[in-house]
Amino acid sequence: MAKNMTVKVMSDKSISLALNRIAHEIIEKNKGVDDVVIVGIRTGGAVLADRLKKILDGICDADVSVGIIDITLYRDDIQVKLDQPLVQKTEILFDLVDKVVVLVDDVLYTGRTVRAALDAIVDFGRPRAIQLAILVDRGHRELPIRADYAGKEIPTSKSERVEVHLKEISGKDEVIIDRSGRGGV
Amino acid sequence: MSLKIHHLLGLEGVSADDIRLILDTAVSFKEILARKIPKVPTLRGTTVANLFYEPSTRTRFSFELAEKRLSADTINFTTSGSSVAKGESLKDTVWNIEAMKIDIVVIRHSASGAPHYLATCCKSTVINAGDGAHEHPTQGLLDMYTMREKYGKLQGLKVVIVGDIKHSRVARSNIWGLLTMGAKVAVCGPPTLLPVEMEKFGVEVHDDLDEALRGADIVNILRLQKERQKTGLLPSLREYSRYYGITRDRLDLLNDNFTIMHPGPMNRGVEISSEVAEGPYSVILPQVTNGVAVRMAVLYLLSGGKGKVDEE
Amino acid sequence: MKNDMVLAGGKIVDPATGYFGPATVFISDGKIEKVEKRKKSKIAGGNVIKLDGKIICPGFIDMHVHLREPGDEDEETIISGSEAAAAGGFTSIACMPNTKPPLDDAGAIEYVNNRALLAPVKVYPVGAVTVGQKGDTLTEMMEMSACGAVAFSDDGSGVQNNDMMRRALEYSKTCGVPVISHCEYSDLTASGVMHEGFISSKLGMKGIPAIAEELMVMREIMLASLTGARVHIAHVSTAGSVDLIRKAKKSKVPVTAEVTPHHFSMTDELINSFDTNLKVNPPLRTKNDVDAVIKGLADGAIDCVASDHAPHSIEDKELEFDYAPFGLIGLETALGLVITKLINEKILTWVEVVDRMSAAPARILDIPGGILNEGEPADITVIDPELEWIVNPNDFKSLSRNTPFAGWQLKGKAVMTIVDGNIVYSLI
């Protein structure tokens, strides 16, 4: 892959700023974090959810509940894929009835992942509301879904690939766009 | 991740990677079973036919529940006696059901190899729910799941299977699976209930129960079919119970932190005493719970690849 | 001098003299007129068939086939089975009596004889030992024998009662024909479907133990010794049986034996596939047993090869292994397997093969064949030893398709079958 095919669109600094801004928006919109719980979508969203929790805890001197959701079993393409995706554990060890669930993912693209996550969350109980926080919104929605909190909106073409690297997983924080034509998230 | 196998016909020859994937996946499904709404939409639109040519309640319920927890549609075909007696061949029965568009066939049959035969003559994915005295792979998997849940591993465990090994498909599936996963397996029973050339399976063979139990971690106790006495394989249930029944006293021979298992249904007072069945070391009921999770994992993993690749 | 037919350019096998070399065979009036054992012969004319590279043998005899007529004519008939025999290189066959109804009286023997008048090969009926093959009452052996029954047998299950077998031997002795014994104590094989061993243990299938055969082989040997009557052990399948028969022959007990091609070319391990065409009785045994029957064929403990051709319909075989009937068809694969597995593997010579497949069965049943002498009926099998072919059941003349050998690659095949001077099958 040639070097000029990839462009860094967010640095570690801008990721950190974006998360801080999202945290403040969550507090503002919900008038505090008393009823707020955070659920991250495996795998990137789960990391971001943990970071958001820490920021919210720091600002509000609270202990916001955080969980992880694996949406594999709710995907709409399970029977057409040749390889069955690996099912990982969902960890929601708290009651989310009447809570405001902030669903966290790294990239918002077609909206199908979020659709699956919404179905999964509802199976755990009936939250008062579900809000969506996203680090990067790259457009091309295929479902009527939008983010309540977005770190950055990045217009892309479908042939481009958005890669979110996070310290906890790949050792560094950055968001890059790969224009080599491989497509995907 | 995908299984190398396309049908689950038995555990003989199934790779350690495949077994590990099924057991790992079952961990996630067990979590689902603990949810308020213990159901996921994964297999919506998938139809599973449960063909039970032999009476069964728990295996059939377990499969049906697993299918329903995955949102599959299910149809049940239950008949006692052979298909021959019914006047329609197994092939015709399955072709008829397939004509109604099904995706997966779960079959329990009194003839060894019936699921293997089906797999050669139908398009559906075939899951063996017990064939004759041959294999009962999902039971083997759920037993291994239960062992791994408690010990964290299977490698190096010593498992003794006690009872009517000759007629037991549970024993055979356990043996193949456990050996593949690196456990040590011993079998024990009266010589008339041990198959010939048993040692070629790669297991220790005992006819003395105390000798078999010494130093074991897990005892898997098989149900003794009472008809065995009538067919002359046993002098009496009394003598069987005395020499091969698992009672409290015998447990002292086992390693610390031992486990008692039984695939059910139990004959209390014959192969297992009530005290042992209900002891804190007994995982007989967790086995049943785990059975649903393991069967969900098998159904999930075998249901992929039905259409074209559709990348997101 | 004019001949009806001259077979020129090939090699002949003559088990009587042990000759295996170039020769010309002159045939007239359905008989062998002359055999000239040299490279070139003066041929005065007539129908000369060039057989360069081919091997000319006395016609092969399969002394153990099931023709299913009367009763199961959808599976085989006397005519279709005879056509299969001709295509397999056999000029004579002996058919077993377990038809529906069984061949247990002179009328039934006459029925077979009449039906066989139009058959391309010679069909010799075997009569039942007991009425209805039920094991209770001796059949009218003398009358059946007079009508042409060449042996007696309750093949399919075996005579379970020891006293009945003793009386059968005593009685049959007066007819001068052997009793062919299917050796199987049914109480020891109760509902077994395959050889009892590691594979049956693994597959969880009921086993047929070797001892069920061997115990009865032992009984037949002792009864033959006691009565002086001839016993022929059908389809020997175990190493133990071969040993018993070898020892008995050393002690001059009048016992003979046969082995089938499937028992010397396959083991029970193949049943891992659950292919019901592998379900046969006696069952496929282990490698050790296969080695033993092959050794027995080589050293003479076993006299001959017989196919135990047992046709079954597709619907009968397309079942769960437990429910499918025993039996496989062998007339059209026997010779190919013998050549591929025994000659090409250097276990038997051509002379020995012609003995095991022609001279020996002729001796045992006391019927013509096994010899290429002047004046003998011109029953001749011509073999192309180099012909490589793949078994395709759809090419079979048999009405049934239950062969486990489909797709097998064999080398060596009958390319012409001549019965009483008439070509009944030819690929030339």
Side-chain angles (χ1 to χ4, degrees):
Chain A
M1 184 194 343
K3 241 195 177 146
N4 59 0
M5 299 292 268
T6 64
V7 181
K8 191 194 262 194
V9 289
M10 285 182 91
S11 64
D12 54 349
K13 188 94 187 287
S14 51
I15 289 174
S16 164
L17 283 170
L19 286 175
N20 269 297
R21 178 169 51 73
I22 289 172
H24 281 98
E25 285 175 14
I26 290 170
I27 296 164
E28 187 185 356
K29 182 159 182 169
N30 297 298
K31 302 184 175 65
V33 289
D34 290 352
D35 290 334
V36 171
V37 298
I38 300 180
V39 174
I41 300 174
R42 268 191 203 276
T43 311
V47 170
L48 295 172
D50 265 342
R51 291 197 198 174
L52 266 181
K53 170 201 157 54
K54 286 194 186 103
I55 300 167
L56 290 171
D57 285 357
I59 300 169
C60 303
D61 190 22
D63 181 13
V64 176
S65 299
V66 63
I68 302 172
I69 199 155
D70 182 90
I71 56 98
T72 310
L73 297 170
Y74 292 82
R75 293 170 68 135
D76 55 10
D77 57 353
I78 215 112
Q79 282 165 74
V80 292
K81 285 181 100 68
L82 279 177
D83 267 8
Q84 282 300 66
L86 187 64
V87 184
Q88 291 177 288
K89 239 174 140 172
T90 291
E91 289 165 24
I92 298 179
L93 305 171
F94 46 85
D95 190 2
L96 41 72
V97 174
D98 278 339
K99 301 286 187 199
V100 173
V101 175
V102 176
L103 185 62
V104 183
D105 203 1
D106 47 6
V107 180
L108 180 56
Y109 182 28
T110 60
R112 287 180 193 272
T113 302
V114 173
R115 195 283 307 159
L118 291 173
D119 282 351
I121 285 172
V122 171
D123 279 353
F124 280 84
R126 184 175 187 277
R128 192 166 80 228
I130 303 176
Q131 299 168 354
L132 177 61
I134 220 82
L135 184 63
V136 177
D137 182 349
R138 60 168 294 192
H140 304 291
R141 217 76 77 239
E142 291 169 6
L143 296 172
I145 280 169
R146 60 160 183 81
D148 298 271
Y149 318 102
K152 192 178 173 89
E153 282 180 28
I154 303 171
T156 57
S157 84
K158 279 198 168 182
S159 66
E160 291 167 340
R161 187 181 172 87
V162 176
E163 291 176 14
V164 175
H165 297 290
L166 295 169
K167 265 197 211 93
E168 294 86 334
I169 299 164
S170 45
K172 58 180 172 184
D173 274 2
E174 64 176 9
V175 178
I176 57 173
I177 295 182
D178 175 358
R179 296 193 169 129
S180 62
R182 284 185 295 151
V185 176
Chain B
M1 294 286 271
S2 255
L3 294 175
K4 275 185 217 79
I5 52 171
H6 301 293
H7 306 278
L8 182 63
L9 303 176
L11 291 187
E12 187 196 357
V14 177
S15 70
D17 281 347
D18 275 3
I19 291 175
R20 213 172 287 120
L21 177 58
I22 294 170
L23 299 185
D24 287 346
T25 305
V27 174
S28 307
F29 283 107
K30 192 167 180 191
E31 177 266 315
I32 290 165
L33 294 176
R35 290 184 195 172
K36 267 198 181 131
I37 300 175
K39 182 166 176 142
V40 287
T42 318
L43 295 190
R44 269 185 313 163
T46 296
T47 308
V48 184
N50 299 307
L51 267 55
F52 278 72
Y53 284 89
E54 213 182 49
S56 156
T57 35
R58 63 188 61 209
T59 302
R60 190 164 58 84
F61 283 0
S62 183
F63 264 109
E64 212 176 329
L65 205 51
E67 290 148 13
K68 290 186 162 151
R69 297 276 190 247
L70 285 167
S71 303
D73 293 317
T74 65
I75 52 169
N76 295 305
F77 178 91
T78 308
T79 175
S80 55
S82 74
S83 54
V84 178
K86 212 179 152 282
E88 185 180 57
S89 74
L90 181 56
K91 185 170 99 172
D92 282 332
T93 303
V94 168
W95 281 12
N96 267 281
I97 293 173
E98 268 192 330
M100 299 179 222
K101 194 193 166 323
I102 57 160
D103 305 285
I104 299 176
V105 178
V106 174
I107 177 170
R108 153 76 55 104
H109 202 292
S110 60
S112 292
H116 307 68
Y117 165 60
L118 258 199
T120 64
C121 68
C122 79
K123 291 190 281 294
S124 309
T125 299
V126 178
I127 297 176
N128 181 359
D131 64 323
H134 180 218
E135 285 229 41
H136 190 354
T138 55
Q139 180 73 43
L141 288 164
L142 78 89
D143 286 347
M144 287 193 281
Y145 181 95
T146 308
M147 295 174 204
R148 201 181 72 157
E149 194 174 49
K150 174 161 172 180
Y151 295 95
K153 56 167 188 163
L154 293 168
Q155 176 86 35
L157 290 179
K158 187 181 171 194
V159 183
V160 185
I161 306 171
V162 180
D164 182 1
I165 311 292
K166 190 176 200 160
H167 301 93
S168 176
R169 49 194 170 213
V170 175
R172 285 168 180 80
S173 287
N174 263 277
I175 289 168
W176 295 125
L178 286 166
L179 291 177
T180 301
M181 300 311 285
K184 289 195 280 281
V185 183
V187 298
C188 179
T192 47
L193 295 181
L194 292 174
V196 299
E197 301 185 35
M198 190 70 212
E199 60 294 335
K200 287 194 186 165
F201 281 75
V203 300
E204 273 179 40
V205 184
H206 296 276
D207 51 22
D208 181 298
L209 183 57
D210 290 348
E211 203 176 280
L213 294 182
R214 203 159 287 130
D217 299 299
I218 294 153
V219 188
N220 203 345
I221 304 163
L222 302 175
R223 174 181 169 78
L224 183 79
Q225 301 282 351
K226 295 191 175 157
E227 306 85 79
R228 302 296 171 229
Q229 189 198 347
K230 289 186 205 125
T231 51
L233 292 172
L234 285 176
S236 70
L237 290 182
R238 187 183 149 274
E239 175 150 307
Y240 180 84
S241 166
R242 188 151 166 210
Y243 288 89
Y244 295 98
I246 305 289
T247 53
R248 181 69 198 82
D249 314 343
R250 299 202 194 263
L251 302 182
D252 296 335
L253 296 162
L254 299 168
N255 286 346
D256 295 342
N257 195 28
F258 68 87
T259 303
I260 296 294
M261 304 178 74
H262 192 300
M266 288 185 280
N267 294 308
R268 289 176 184 240
V270 181
E271 72 264 9
I272 186 168
S273 73
S274 278
E275 193 190 357
V276 172
E278 293 177 16
Y281 36 74
S282 159
V283 294
I284 294 170
L285 291 176
Q287 280 177 274
V288 179
T289 312
N290 294 339
V292 179
V294 164
R295 291 183 174 111
M296 285 172 81
V298 167
L299 286 160
Y300 167 71
L301 290 167
L302 287 177
S303 63
K306 289 275 184 288
K308 61 185 191 330
V309 189
D310 186 16
E311 279 303 326
E312 195 177 316
Chain C
M1 183 166 61
K2 188 173 178 326
N3 297 100
D4 290 354
M5 194 191 296
V6 182
L7 308 180
K11 283 177 163 180
I12 68 154
V13 184
D14 182 4
T17 59
Y19 181 79
F20 176 46
T24 307
V25 180
F26 298 84
I27 296 166
S28 64
D29 291 334
K31 298 205 184 310
I32 295 171
E33 188 188 299
K34 186 170 58 167
V35 177
E36 289 187 358
K37 290 179 185 168
R38 56 172 184 259
K39 261 216 163 89
K40 295 260 185 209
S41 289
K42 267 191 201 157
I43 298 167
N47 178 15
V48 180
I49 299 169
K50 302 280 263 175
L51 294 176
D52 298 79
K54 310 289 189 291
I55 296 175
I56 301 162
C57 306
F60 291 137
I61 300 171
D62 189 342
M63 65 174 292
H64 191 146
V65 304
H66 298 271
L67 295 180
R68 302 294 185 227
E69 184 182 348
D72 287 307
E73 289 86 352
D74 59 321
E75 295 177 338
E76 201 77 281
T77 64
I78 290 168
I79 296 297
S80 70
S82 301
E83 285 169 350
F90 294 100
T91 55
S92 296
I93 54 179
C95 62
M96 285 294 160
N98 62 335
T99 47
K100 294 171 190 165
L103 311 180
D104 61 359
D105 62 21
I109 300 296
E110 288 289 10
Y111 170 83
V112 174
N113 289 338
N114 286 332
R115 298 290 291 172
L117 287 175
L118 294 174
V121 305
K122 295 172 181 171
V123 178
Y124 295 97
V126 175
V129 173
T130 61
V131 174
Q133 294 193 303
K134 290 198 173 79
D136 308 323
T137 316
L138 286 180
T139 53
E140 294 167 344
M141 291 184 185
M142 294 189 199
E143 197 179 6
M144 281 199 283
S145 173
C147 289
V150 291
F152 298 106
S153 181
D154 274 1
D155 184 59
S157 50
V159 178
Q160 300 297 312
N161 184 293
N162 301 325
D163 185 48
M164 178 57 68
M165 188 62 183
R166 176 186 172 179
R167 280 187 271 138
L169 286 175
E170 286 170 344
Y171 197 86
S172 69
K173 198 180 165 191
T174 60
C175 311
V177 302
V179 171
I180 300 173
S181 175
H182 169 122
C183 289
E184 175 188 1
Y185 272 117
S186 57
D187 48 2
L188 282 167
T189 63
S191 62
V193 295
M194 65 177 291
H195 172 66
E196 180 185 273
F198 173 59
I199 306 295
S200 72
S201 289
K202 193 163 77 70
L203 299 178
M205 299 224 238
K206 294 223 174 73
I208 298 176
I211 191 75
E213 172 174 317
E214 290 159 4
L215 212 53
M216 196 175 276
V217 169
M218 174 110 84
R219 177 192 78 174
E220 311 307 35
I221 288 167
M222 296 182 86
L223 288 176
S225 171
L226 176 75
T227 59
R230 286 198 290 140
V231 176
H232 176 78
I233 311 293
H235 41 53
V236 169
S237 72
T238 79
S241 299
V242 177
D243 280 345
L244 288 168
I245 295 162
R246 186 181 287 120
K247 281 186 196 129
K249 285 186 165 178
K250 274 194 189 126
S251 314
K252 309 284 180 210
V253 178
V255 60
T256 54
E258 74 194 24
V259 64
T260 71
H262 47 277
H263 285 114
F264 69 64
S265 50
M266 296 191 290
T267 67
D268 60 344
E269 281 187 44
L270 293 173
I271 297 173
N272 280 316
S273 69
F274 297 102
D275 179 357
T276 54
N277 288 328
L278 297 162
K279 184 172 173 181
V280 63
N281 189 17
L284 302 179
R285 305 280 187 184
T286 65
K287 174 78 168 45
N288 180 44
D289 298 302
V290 168
D291 292 345
V293 295
I294 288 176
K295 185 163 176 285
L297 260 183
D299 69 18
I302 293 177
D303 302 81
C304 63
V305 173
S307 73
D308 194 6
H309 179 83
H312 287 291
S313 65
I314 289 169
E315 54 273 23
D316 279 355
K317 278 288 192 180
E318 273 202 339
L319 289 176
E320 299 85 330
F321 200 88
D322 279 355
Y323 305 144
F326 291 103
L328 56 88
I329 52 174
L331 277 169
E332 290 167 85
T333 48
L335 185 55
L337 288 162
V338 166
I339 298 170
T340 305
K341 295 279 177 182
L342 302 179
I343 289 185
N344 296 348
E345 299 285 328
K346 309 251 182 281
I347 289 163
L348 296 183
T349 63
W350 277 102
V351 173
E352 286 166 335
V353 161
V354 171
D355 175 67
R356 307 300 187 264
M357 295 189 72
S358 180
R363 260 192 321 268
I364 294 165
L365 298 179
D366 193 19
I367 57 175
I371 198 159
L372 283 178
N373 283 0
E374 286 163 24
E376 293 290 328
D379 292 352
I380 288 168
T381 305
V382 179
I383 293 166
D384 181 344
E386 300 301 322
L387 182 65
E388 292 188 37
W389 57 292
I390 291 169
V391 179
N392 178 359
N394 293 325
D395 295 341
F396 284 175
K397 304 281 186 206
S398 170
L399 293 182
S400 287
R401 297 287 176 264
N402 54 308
T403 174
F405 299 111
W408 281 42
Q409 172 128 22
L410 302 177
K411 188 175 177 187
K413 197 177 196 307
V415 290
M416 183 179 279
T417 308
I418 300 168
V419 176
D420 286 334
N422 298 310
I423 297 172
V424 294
Y425 173 79
S426 177
L427 288 180
I428 296 173

